Each structure stands twice: as C-alpha cells, then as structure tokens.
Amino acid sequence: MSELNLVLLGPPGSGKGTQGERLQEDFRLPYYATGDILRAAVREGTELGTEAKGYMDRGDLVPDEVMVGIIAERVASDEAGDGFVLDGFPRTIPQADALDSKLGELGRELTAVILVDVPDEEVIRRLSGRRVCVKEGHIFHMEFDPPKNEDVCDIDGSRLEIRDDDKPEVVRNRLETYHDKTEPLVAYYEERSVLRRVDGRPVPAEVSDRIRAMLATKRMEEEL
C-alpha cells in the first residue's frame, strides 16, 4: 500500500488511544487525536485555529467544516505523506461524509477504519475502576493496577480520586451517546468495505498484534 490512511473507531475506554500510539510507532505514521490537533491549531494561531478559538471561547462546538479543515491541513502536510492515524473524528455520519469529501479533494482515501470493539460492561469496568492522584495525575486501576494503599498514590502520597467522567453513571451516558451518534458509522464504513473489526478485550499488545496482522493481510490482498 502506497499510503496507510487509518481511522480508529470504538467506544470510550476501548483503548483506541493506546492502539493509535502503537500504530504510530509500528508504521512511522503521525497520530492525530483530534482534540490534540485542535488545541495545537489554536495554540499556533493558524487561520482555522483562530476561527475555532472564537467558537470555543463562546462555549460553542467547533463546526464540522472547521474541524475537517484543521484535519486536512495535517493530512496535506509532508509528515502525512505515507499516511496517518486519525482518532476522535468522525463521530457522526455527516462528519464522515465531510471527511471523505475533503480527502477526495486532496486525492486521498481511507485505507481502513479499525473498530476496536469492547462491550459496554467491560468499558464500565475499565473506566469506573480508574483512580487519578490529585497532585501529579498518576493513574491507577483498582482491579488491574491497584495502589498499595487504597486511595493513596504510590508515587507521591497524594489522594486518589475518581474523575467525574469515569463515574459509572457518567460512563453509561457517554456510552449512550456513542451508540446513538457514532455507532451508525460501523454500517456506514461496512457499506464502503473499509471497516475492520478487532476485539478490544485482550491486553493491548495482543490487540496491537491483531491489528498489524489485519493490515498485513490487506496489503497482501492489494498486491494480488
């Protein structure tokens, strides 16, 4: 494949960010978490970043066309010449249509949309078990990586707390939003034959191995 243009899909807590970073390392591709590149555009004072800041300062959502423009600036840059990994956009079908249209203008298309699939109860288990220290933000998990003393950070001794967006009732609301707004993208990309599913329940290294194997298979299919 001359380019590897990837989108990561999945519910909150599915591990998309971890897999994005591994893809970045494995394939030497830029990893674009959309919140990060939005903040970077604002910080750098680009034309679109300045426009986005105006919306953010008013407490409004950044319009899709502005967000797509910010993504396009990155995709068109030299660093993305061999491809990219996009995480956090699109979240809706209109956003997916806008992204496809913009990529078409750039002479690009998506290679694969990777769905990191995790059931709701596993998401709740993962997120509601997280604890963050109030001083430096060190992260623990009450089941997978518990502190030596409950509610006390092993590293700096500060108090551990659960973030508001990790509370079970909030996680359920986030999942409801995902199922309502973002999950329809699964069928959208299946119809375009670019969706690839991977079970996100195993440990990150195993999920990463499966994604690499999936992409290697796709490369071989294209070379036939």
Side-chain angles (χ1 to χ4, degrees):
M1 290 179 284
S2 57
E3 296 178 9
L4 201 57
N5 303 325
L6 306 174
V7 164
L8 292 172
L9 277 185
S14 62
K16 298 192 308 299
T18 298
Q19 295 309 318
E21 291 168 359
R22 287 173 179 257
L23 285 165
Q24 179 182 35
E25 183 177 341
D26 290 345
F27 293 97
R28 310 281 184 189
L29 298 175
Y31 168 52
Y32 298 139
T34 51
D36 292 343
I37 62 173
L38 174 59
R39 286 186 290 272
V42 171
R43 187 173 60 251
E44 293 162 6
T46 67
E47 182 178 345
L48 286 170
T50 301
E51 185 176 352
K53 185 176 185 299
Y55 289 101
M56 294 162 70
D57 288 347
R58 294 191 296 273
D60 297 332
L61 292 174
V62 177
D64 290 349
E65 61 268 22
V66 175
M67 197 65 233
V68 169
I70 289 171
I71 292 168
E73 287 180 337
R74 297 294 182 131
V75 169
S77 67
D78 291 341
E79 70 176 5
D82 293 329
F84 56 86
V85 182
L86 184 59
D87 176 12
F89 195 96
R91 294 179 185 269
T92 65
I93 287 177
Q95 289 178 352
D97 285 334
L99 178 63
D100 283 351
S101 177
K102 181 60 71 173
L103 288 176
E105 291 174 16
L106 297 173
R108 312 284 287 268
E109 62 181 8
L110 293 178
T111 306
V113 175
I114 300 169
L115 172 63
V116 184
D117 210 3
V118 177
D120 286 3
E121 289 310 310
E122 175 66 13
V123 168
I124 295 167
R125 177 173 166 237
R126 288 181 181 185
L127 296 185
S128 63
R130 269 197 315 210
R131 298 293 184 273
V132 181
C133 85
V134 297
K135 185 176 180 181
E136 297 289 342
H138 302 118
I139 298 175
F140 296 84
H141 195 283
M142 303 311 289
E143 182 178 352
F144 308 131
D145 182 25
K148 294 174 183 175
N149 298 299
E150 189 173 355
D151 296 330
V152 178
C153 177
D154 292 352
I155 300 169
D156 59 33
S158 66
R159 176 172 52 85
L160 296 177
E161 64 179 12
I162 183 170
R163 298 188 318 193
D164 287 342
D165 60 352
D166 284 342
K167 292 177 180 177
E169 62 275 17
V170 178
V171 174
R172 289 189 177 92
N173 287 337
R174 293 169 66 192
L175 284 167
E176 187 175 332
T177 299
Y178 168 78
H179 291 310
D180 182 44
K181 302 291 187 182
T182 303
E183 199 168 50
L185 288 173
V186 174
Y188 176 96
Y189 283 120
E190 276 184 327
E191 290 174 2
R192 287 154 179 76
S193 302
V194 293
L195 188 82
R196 299 292 183 273
R197 295 173 182 264
V198 62
D199 186 350
R201 288 173 295 182
V203 296
E206 186 175 338
V207 176
S208 180
D209 287 344
R210 292 181 181 182
I211 291 174
R212 283 199 301 270
M214 182 190 305
L215 294 173
T217 299
K218 183 169 181 61
R219 175 175 282 126
M220 287 188 293
E221 289 172 351
E222 291 190 357
E223 289 176 349
L224 291 177

mmCIF file of all heavy atoms in Angstrom, residues 118-157:
data_model
loop_
_atom_site.group_PDB
_atom_site.id
_atom_site.type_symbol
_atom_site.label_atom_id
_atom_site.label_comp_id
_atom_site.label_asym_id
_atom_site.label_seq_id
_atom_site.Cartn_x
_atom_site.Cartn_y
_atom_site.Cartn_z
ATOM 1 N N VAL A 118 -15.447 -3.226 22.124
ATOM 2 C CA VAL A 118 -15.460 -3.608 23.540
ATOM 3 C C VAL A 118 -16.895 -3.493 24.050
ATOM 4 O O VAL A 118 -17.540 -2.462 23.831
ATOM 5 C CB VAL A 118 -14.529 -2.693 24.376
ATOM 6 C CG1 VAL A 118 -14.601 -3.063 25.850
ATOM 7 C CG2 VAL A 118 -13.094 -2.792 23.882
ATOM 8 N N PRO A 119 -17.423 -4.528 24.725
ATOM 9 C CA PRO A 119 -18.800 -4.460 25.238
ATOM 10 C C PRO A 119 -18.952 -3.387 26.322
ATOM 11 O O PRO A 119 -17.988 -3.032 27.009
ATOM 12 C CB PRO A 119 -19.038 -5.858 25.828
ATOM 13 C CG PRO A 119 -17.896 -6.692 25.430
ATOM 14 C CD PRO A 119 -16.777 -5.810 25.016
ATOM 15 N N ASP A 120 -20.170 -2.922 26.491
ATOM 16 C CA ASP A 120 -20.441 -1.846 27.447
ATOM 17 C C ASP A 120 -19.981 -2.179 28.853
ATOM 18 O O ASP A 120 -19.374 -1.331 29.544
ATOM 19 C CB ASP A 120 -21.940 -1.528 27.479
ATOM 20 C CG ASP A 120 -22.403 -0.761 26.250
ATOM 21 O OD1 ASP A 120 -21.574 -0.529 25.353
ATOM 22 O OD2 ASP A 120 -23.600 -0.396 26.201
ATOM 23 N N GLU A 121 -20.274 -3.371 29.332
ATOM 24 C CA GLU A 121 -19.934 -3.705 30.720
ATOM 25 C C GLU A 121 -18.423 -3.702 30.932
ATOM 26 O O GLU A 121 -17.944 -3.352 32.017
ATOM 27 C CB GLU A 121 -20.549 -5.058 31.115
ATOM 28 C CG GLU A 121 -22.057 -5.011 31.263
ATOM 29 C CD GLU A 121 -22.533 -3.862 32.158
ATOM 30 O OE1 GLU A 121 -22.010 -3.713 33.280
ATOM 31 O OE2 GLU A 121 -23.426 -3.101 31.718
ATOM 32 N N GLU A 122 -17.663 -4.091 29.928
ATOM 33 C CA GLU A 122 -16.202 -4.041 30.031
ATOM 34 C C GLU A 122 -15.718 -2.592 30.068
ATOM 35 O O GLU A 122 -14.790 -2.254 30.809
ATOM 36 C CB GLU A 122 -15.568 -4.794 28.859
ATOM 37 C CG GLU A 122 -14.050 -4.717 28.800
ATOM 38 C CD GLU A 122 -13.347 -5.410 29.948
ATOM 39 O OE1 GLU A 122 -14.012 -6.175 30.696
ATOM 40 O OE2 GLU A 122 -12.140 -5.180 30.124
ATOM 41 N N VAL A 123 -16.344 -1.735 29.277
ATOM 42 C CA VAL A 123 -15.996 -0.312 29.303
ATOM 43 C C VAL A 123 -16.231 0.263 30.700
ATOM 44 O O VAL A 123 -15.370 0.964 31.259
ATOM 45 C CB VAL A 123 -16.815 0.474 28.258
ATOM 46 C CG1 VAL A 123 -16.673 1.976 28.486
ATOM 47 C CG2 VAL A 123 -16.374 0.118 26.848
ATOM 48 N N ILE A 124 -17.394 -0.029 31.272
ATOM 49 C CA ILE A 124 -17.720 0.480 32.610
ATOM 50 C C ILE A 124 -16.717 -0.039 33.630
ATOM 51 O O ILE A 124 -16.249 0.708 34.506
ATOM 52 C CB ILE A 124 -19.167 0.093 32.984
ATOM 53 C CG1 ILE A 124 -20.154 0.803 32.051
ATOM 54 C CG2 ILE A 124 -19.459 0.433 34.447
ATOM 55 C CD1 ILE A 124 -21.568 0.274 32.129
ATOM 56 N N ARG A 125 -16.370 -1.315 33.515
ATOM 57 C CA ARG A 125 -15.388 -1.919 34.431
ATOM 58 C C ARG A 125 -14.039 -1.225 34.323
ATOM 59 O O ARG A 125 -13.394 -0.914 35.324
ATOM 60 C CB ARG A 125 -15.271 -3.404 34.091
ATOM 61 C CG ARG A 125 -14.247 -4.190 34.884
ATOM 62 C CD ARG A 125 -14.402 -5.666 34.526
ATOM 63 N NE ARG A 125 -13.279 -6.453 34.980
ATOM 64 C CZ ARG A 125 -12.519 -7.213 34.201
ATOM 65 N NH1 ARG A 125 -12.753 -7.261 32.898
ATOM 66 N NH2 ARG A 125 -11.530 -7.913 34.701
ATOM 67 N N ARG A 126 -13.616 -0.956 33.102
ATOM 68 C CA ARG A 126 -12.317 -0.312 32.892
ATOM 69 C C ARG A 126 -12.295 1.117 33.422
ATOM 70 O O ARG A 126 -11.376 1.507 34.139
ATOM 71 C CB ARG A 126 -11.978 -0.288 31.395
ATOM 72 C CG ARG A 126 -11.621 -1.623 30.806
ATOM 73 C CD ARG A 126 -11.284 -1.446 29.329
ATOM 74 N NE ARG A 126 -10.951 -2.716 28.702
ATOM 75 C CZ ARG A 126 -10.525 -2.822 27.437
ATOM 76 N NH1 ARG A 126 -10.405 -1.740 26.691
ATOM 77 N NH2 ARG A 126 -10.240 -4.011 26.937
ATOM 78 N N LEU A 127 -13.293 1.898 33.047
ATOM 79 C CA LEU A 127 -13.258 3.318 33.368
ATOM 80 C C LEU A 127 -13.606 3.609 34.819
ATOM 81 O O LEU A 127 -12.980 4.457 35.459
ATOM 82 C CB LEU A 127 -14.185 4.098 32.432
ATOM 83 C CG LEU A 127 -13.800 4.080 30.950
ATOM 84 C CD1 LEU A 127 -14.728 4.989 30.154
ATOM 85 C CD2 LEU A 127 -12.353 4.493 30.735
ATOM 86 N N SER A 128 -14.591 2.913 35.362
ATOM 87 C CA SER A 128 -15.012 3.222 36.730
ATOM 88 C C SER A 128 -13.987 2.751 37.752
ATOM 89 O O SER A 128 -14.018 3.195 38.905
ATOM 90 C CB SER A 128 -16.382 2.613 37.028
ATOM 91 O OG SER A 128 -16.333 1.198 36.952
ATOM 92 N N GLY A 129 -13.059 1.897 37.351
ATOM 93 C CA GLY A 129 -12.010 1.440 38.259
ATOM 94 C C GLY A 129 -10.794 2.342 38.281
ATOM 95 O O GLY A 129 -9.896 2.166 39.108
ATOM 96 N N ARG A 130 -10.742 3.329 37.388
ATOM 97 C CA ARG A 130 -9.577 4.216 37.323
ATOM 98 C C ARG A 130 -9.562 5.191 38.495
ATOM 99 O O ARG A 130 -10.591 5.716 38.890
ATOM 100 C CB ARG A 130 -9.593 5.015 36.016
ATOM 101 C CG ARG A 130 -8.864 4.350 34.899
ATOM 102 C CD ARG A 130 -8.530 5.277 33.757
ATOM 103 N NE ARG A 130 -9.573 6.175 33.310
ATOM 104 C CZ ARG A 130 -9.680 6.614 32.050
ATOM 105 N NH1 ARG A 130 -8.800 6.216 31.154
ATOM 106 N NH2 ARG A 130 -10.636 7.444 31.704
ATOM 107 N N ARG A 131 -8.351 5.442 39.000
ATOM 108 C CA ARG A 131 -8.165 6.464 40.020
ATOM 109 C C ARG A 131 -6.966 7.326 39.628
ATOM 110 O O ARG A 131 -5.960 6.806 39.125
ATOM 111 C CB ARG A 131 -7.911 5.836 41.401
ATOM 112 C CG ARG A 131 -9.054 4.980 41.920
ATOM 113 C CD ARG A 131 -10.287 5.793 42.231
ATOM 114 N NE ARG A 131 -11.345 4.971 42.819
ATOM 115 C CZ ARG A 131 -12.243 4.289 42.123
ATOM 116 N NH1 ARG A 131 -12.231 4.324 40.795
ATOM 117 N NH2 ARG A 131 -13.165 3.571 42.740
ATOM 118 N N VAL A 132 -7.086 8.622 39.864
ATOM 119 C CA VAL A 132 -6.044 9.577 39.474
ATOM 120 C C VAL A 132 -5.611 10.348 40.709
ATOM 121 O O VAL A 132 -6.449 10.797 41.505
ATOM 122 C CB VAL A 132 -6.583 10.563 38.407
ATOM 123 C CG1 VAL A 132 -5.490 11.532 37.979
ATOM 124 C CG2 VAL A 132 -7.116 9.798 37.197
ATOM 125 N N CYS A 133 -4.288 10.521 40.870
ATOM 126 C CA CYS A 133 -3.823 11.261 42.042
ATOM 127 C C CYS A 133 -4.010 12.759 41.799
ATOM 128 O O CYS A 133 -3.843 13.249 40.679
ATOM 129 C CB CYS A 133 -2.385 10.903 42.398
ATOM 130 S SG CYS A 133 -1.093 11.788 41.528
ATOM 131 N N VAL A 134 -4.372 13.458 42.879
ATOM 132 C CA VAL A 134 -4.745 14.862 42.742
ATOM 133 C C VAL A 134 -3.530 15.766 42.521
ATOM 134 O O VAL A 134 -3.671 16.898 42.056
ATOM 135 C CB VAL A 134 -5.526 15.351 43.982
ATOM 136 C CG1 VAL A 134 -6.832 14.580 44.119
ATOM 137 C CG2 VAL A 134 -4.692 15.203 45.255
ATOM 138 N N LYS A 135 -2.322 15.276 42.817
ATOM 139 C CA LYS A 135 -1.136 16.129 42.730
ATOM 140 C C LYS A 135 -0.530 16.119 41.332
ATOM 141 O O LYS A 135 -0.376 17.164 40.703
ATOM 142 C CB LYS A 135 -0.099 15.685 43.762
ATOM 143 C CG LYS A 135 1.131 16.596 43.833
ATOM 144 C CD LYS A 135 2.071 16.159 44.940
ATOM 145 C CE LYS A 135 3.291 17.071 45.007
ATOM 146 N NZ LYS A 135 4.241 16.639 46.074
ATOM 147 N N GLU A 136 -0.177 14.937 40.827
ATOM 148 C CA GLU A 136 0.554 14.846 39.560
ATOM 149 C C GLU A 136 -0.195 14.096 38.471
ATOM 150 O O GLU A 136 0.308 13.934 37.373
ATOM 151 C CB GLU A 136 1.930 14.180 39.784
ATOM 152 C CG GLU A 136 2.867 14.956 40.700
ATOM 153 C CD GLU A 136 3.381 16.225 40.053
ATOM 154 O OE1 GLU A 136 3.294 16.338 38.820
ATOM 155 O OE2 GLU A 136 3.867 17.117 40.785
ATOM 156 N N GLY A 137 -1.375 13.577 38.787
ATOM 157 C CA GLY A 137 -2.160 12.893 37.764
ATOM 158 C C GLY A 137 -1.740 11.467 37.478
ATOM 159 O O GLY A 137 -2.084 10.915 36.427
ATOM 160 N N HIS A 138 -0.980 10.833 38.388
ATOM 161 C CA HIS A 138 -0.616 9.422 38.190
ATOM 162 C C HIS A 138 -1.882 8.572 38.198
ATOM 163 O O HIS A 138 -2.799 8.819 38.996
ATOM 164 C CB HIS A 138 0.331 8.952 39.291
ATOM 165 C CG HIS A 138 1.590 9.760 39.381
ATOM 166 N ND1 HIS A 138 1.950 10.486 40.493
ATOM 167 C CD2 HIS A 138 2.575 9.978 38.474
ATOM 168 C CE1 HIS A 138 3.094 11.104 40.286
ATOM 169 N NE2 HIS A 138 3.491 10.821 39.063
ATOM 170 N N ILE A 139 -1.925 7.590 37.323
ATOM 171 C CA ILE A 139 -3.149 6.798 37.140
ATOM 172 C C ILE A 139 -2.969 5.387 37.685
ATOM 173 O O ILE A 139 -1.961 4.720 37.420
ATOM 174 C CB ILE A 139 -3.534 6.741 35.646
ATOM 175 C CG1 ILE A 139 -3.829 8.160 35.126
ATOM 176 C CG2 ILE A 139 -4.757 5.843 35.442
ATOM 177 C CD1 ILE A 139 -4.106 8.227 33.641
ATOM 178 N N PHE A 140 -3.963 4.926 38.426
ATOM 179 C CA PHE A 140 -4.022 3.553 38.934
ATOM 180 C C PHE A 140 -5.376 2.967 38.541
ATOM 181 O O PHE A 140 -6.273 3.680 38.097
ATOM 182 C CB PHE A 140 -3.866 3.528 40.462
ATOM 183 C CG PHE A 140 -2.536 4.018 40.952
ATOM 184 C CD1 PHE A 140 -2.307 5.380 41.123
ATOM 185 C CD2 PHE A 140 -1.517 3.125 41.229
ATOM 186 C CE1 PHE A 140 -1.076 5.837 41.561
ATOM 187 C CE2 PHE A 140 -0.275 3.576 41.672
ATOM 188 C CZ PHE A 140 -0.054 4.930 41.837
ATOM 189 N N HIS A 141 -5.491 1.647 38.705
ATOM 190 C CA HIS A 141 -6.773 0.984 38.482
ATOM 191 C C HIS A 141 -7.010 0.037 39.640
ATOM 192 O O HIS A 141 -6.122 -0.757 39.986
ATOM 193 C CB HIS A 141 -6.791 0.225 37.156
ATOM 194 C CG HIS A 141 -8.159 -0.157 36.709
ATOM 195 N ND1 HIS A 141 -8.860 -1.210 37.260
ATOM 196 C CD2 HIS A 141 -8.992 0.398 35.778
ATOM 197 C CE1 HIS A 141 -10.044 -1.303 36.688
ATOM 198 N NE2 HIS A 141 -10.158 -0.350 35.790
ATOM 199 N N MET A 142 -8.172 0.126 40.245
ATOM 200 C CA MET A 142 -8.442 -0.638 41.446
ATOM 201 C C MET A 142 -8.425 -2.142 41.206
ATOM 202 O O MET A 142 -8.244 -2.921 42.146
ATOM 203 C CB MET A 142 -9.794 -0.217 42.046
ATOM 204 C CG MET A 142 -9.875 1.274 42.370
ATOM 205 S SD MET A 142 -8.449 1.893 43.312
ATOM 206 C CE MET A 142 -8.749 1.128 44.906
ATOM 207 N N GLU A 143 -8.582 -2.580 39.965
ATOM 208 C CA GLU A 143 -8.545 -4.009 39.650
ATOM 209 C C GLU A 143 -7.266 -4.410 38.939
ATOM 210 O O GLU A 143 -6.619 -5.392 39.304
ATOM 211 C CB GLU A 143 -9.752 -4.382 38.783
ATOM 212 C CG GLU A 143 -9.826 -5.859 38.439
ATOM 213 C CD GLU A 143 -11.055 -6.197 37.615
ATOM 214 O OE1 GLU A 143 -11.935 -5.328 37.438
ATOM 215 O OE2 GLU A 143 -11.134 -7.353 37.138
ATOM 216 N N PHE A 144 -6.865 -3.644 37.926
ATOM 217 C CA PHE A 144 -5.747 -4.043 37.075
ATOM 218 C C PHE A 144 -4.388 -3.556 37.579
ATOM 219 O O PHE A 144 -3.373 -4.190 37.332
ATOM 220 C CB PHE A 144 -5.960 -3.533 35.643
ATOM 221 C CG PHE A 144 -7.293 -3.908 35.060
ATOM 222 C CD1 PHE A 144 -8.093 -2.965 34.441
ATOM 223 C CD2 PHE A 144 -7.760 -5.211 35.136
ATOM 224 C CE1 PHE A 144 -9.321 -3.302 33.904
ATOM 225 C CE2 PHE A 144 -8.988 -5.568 34.603
ATOM 226 C CZ PHE A 144 -9.783 -4.610 33.993
ATOM 227 N N ASP A 145 -4.359 -2.419 38.257
ATOM 228 C CA ASP A 145 -3.101 -1.840 38.733
ATOM 229 C C ASP A 145 -3.365 -1.078 40.028
ATOM 230 O O ASP A 145 -3.241 0.145 40.083
ATOM 231 C CB ASP A 145 -2.516 -0.904 37.666
ATOM 232 C CG ASP A 145 -1.186 -0.309 38.074
ATOM 233 O OD1 ASP A 145 -0.479 -0.926 38.901
ATOM 234 O OD2 ASP A 145 -0.850 0.782 37.566
ATOM 235 N N PRO A 146 -3.740 -1.800 41.093
ATOM 236 C CA PRO A 146 -4.177 -1.109 42.317
ATOM 237 C C PRO A 146 -3.005 -0.485 43.080
ATOM 238 O O PRO A 146 -1.876 -0.979 43.022
ATOM 239 C CB PRO A 146 -4.805 -2.244 43.137
ATOM 240 C CG PRO A 146 -4.107 -3.482 42.666
ATOM 241 C CD PRO A 146 -3.827 -3.258 41.206
ATOM 242 N N PRO A 147 -3.272 0.605 43.816
ATOM 243 C CA PRO A 147 -2.242 1.180 44.676
ATOM 244 C C PRO A 147 -2.004 0.265 45.882
ATOM 245 O O PRO A 147 -2.858 -0.552 46.238
ATOM 246 C CB PRO A 147 -2.865 2.508 45.110
ATOM 247 C CG PRO A 147 -4.336 2.267 45.062
ATOM 248 C CD PRO A 147 -4.550 1.324 43.913
ATOM 249 N N LYS A 148 -0.841 0.419 46.500
ATOM 250 C CA LYS A 148 -0.530 -0.408 47.677
ATOM 251 C C LYS A 148 -1.481 -0.093 48.818
ATOM 252 O O LYS A 148 -1.889 -0.983 49.574
ATOM 253 C CB LYS A 148 0.922 -0.175 48.104
ATOM 254 C CG LYS A 148 1.934 -0.667 47.078
ATOM 255 C CD LYS A 148 3.351 -0.286 47.474
ATOM 256 C CE LYS A 148 4.335 -0.715 46.395
ATOM 257 N NZ LYS A 148 5.717 -0.247 46.684
ATOM 258 N N ASN A 149 -1.813 1.197 48.967
ATOM 259 C CA ASN A 149 -2.764 1.621 49.984
ATOM 260 C C ASN A 149 -3.955 2.281 49.286
ATOM 261 O O ASN A 149 -3.772 3.192 48.477
ATOM 262 C CB ASN A 149 -2.121 2.617 50.954
ATOM 263 C CG ASN A 149 -0.959 2.004 51.710
ATOM 264 O OD1 ASN A 149 -1.130 1.033 52.437
ATOM 265 N ND2 ASN A 149 0.225 2.563 51.530
ATOM 266 N N GLU A 150 -5.145 1.810 49.616
ATOM 267 C CA GLU A 150 -6.342 2.307 48.931
ATOM 268 C C GLU A 150 -6.459 3.825 49.033
ATOM 269 O O GLU A 150 -6.276 4.407 50.111
ATOM 270 C CB GLU A 150 -7.591 1.649 49.520
ATOM 271 C CG GLU A 150 -8.861 1.940 48.734
ATOM 272 C CD GLU A 150 -10.058 1.146 49.236
ATOM 273 O OE1 GLU A 150 -9.876 0.308 50.137
ATOM 274 O OE2 GLU A 150 -11.161 1.377 48.722
ATOM 275 N N ASP A 151 -6.715 4.451 47.903
ATOM 276 C CA ASP A 151 -6.941 5.898 47.814
ATOM 277 C C ASP A 151 -5.688 6.739 48.084
ATOM 278 O O ASP A 151 -5.790 7.937 48.334
ATOM 279 C CB ASP A 151 -8.062 6.352 48.760
ATOM 280 C CG ASP A 151 -9.403 5.740 48.380
ATOM 281 O OD1 ASP A 151 -9.608 5.478 47.174
ATOM 282 O OD2 ASP A 151 -10.239 5.513 49.274
ATOM 283 N N VAL A 152 -4.490 6.113 48.035
ATOM 284 C CA VAL A 152 -3.243 6.862 48.223
ATOM 285 C C VAL A 152 -2.297 6.537 47.068
ATOM 286 O O VAL A 152 -2.052 5.366 46.761
ATOM 287 C CB VAL A 152 -2.566 6.511 49.564
ATOM 288 C CG1 VAL A 152 -1.244 7.275 49.708
ATOM 289 C CG2 VAL A 152 -3.482 6.835 50.728
ATOM 290 N N CYS A 153 -1.750 7.586 46.424
ATOM 291 C CA CYS A 153 -0.833 7.394 45.307
ATOM 292 C C CYS A 153 0.482 6.788 45.791
ATOM 293 O O CYS A 153 1.100 7.304 46.734
ATOM 294 C CB CYS A 153 -0.575 8.741 44.617
ATOM 295 S SG CYS A 153 0.606 8.650 43.259
ATOM 296 N N ASP A 154 0.933 5.710 45.154
ATOM 297 C CA ASP A 154 2.206 5.071 45.499
ATOM 298 C C ASP A 154 3.395 5.992 45.250
ATOM 299 O O ASP A 154 4.438 5.861 45.897
ATOM 300 C CB ASP A 154 2.419 3.802 44.651
ATOM 301 C CG ASP A 154 1.443 2.696 44.989
ATOM 302 O OD1 ASP A 154 0.688 2.836 45.978
ATOM 303 O OD2 ASP A 154 1.429 1.687 44.253
ATOM 304 N N ILE A 155 3.261 6.905 44.302
ATOM 305 C CA ILE A 155 4.410 7.684 43.832
ATOM 306 C C ILE A 155 4.627 8.943 44.664
ATOM 307 O O ILE A 155 5.752 9.241 45.076
ATOM 308 C CB ILE A 155 4.231 8.032 42.345
ATOM 309 C CG1 ILE A 155 4.135 6.732 41.527
ATOM 310 C CG2 ILE A 155 5.391 8.901 41.838
ATOM 311 C CD1 ILE A 155 3.697 6.924 40.095
ATOM 312 N N ASP A 156 3.569 9.698 44.925
ATOM 313 C CA ASP A 156 3.765 10.961 45.654
ATOM 314 C C ASP A 156 2.940 11.070 46.938
ATOM 315 O O ASP A 156 2.975 12.092 47.619
ATOM 316 C CB ASP A 156 3.490 12.167 44.755
ATOM 317 C CG ASP A 156 2.078 12.191 44.192
ATOM 318 O OD1 ASP A 156 1.151 11.727 44.887
ATOM 319 O OD2 ASP A 156 1.895 12.688 43.068
ATOM 320 N N GLY A 157 2.192 10.017 47.282
ATOM 321 C CA GLY A 157 1.463 10.003 48.541
ATOM 322 C C GLY A 157 0.211 10.851 48.578
ATOM 323 O O GLY A 157 -0.424 10.981 49.635
#
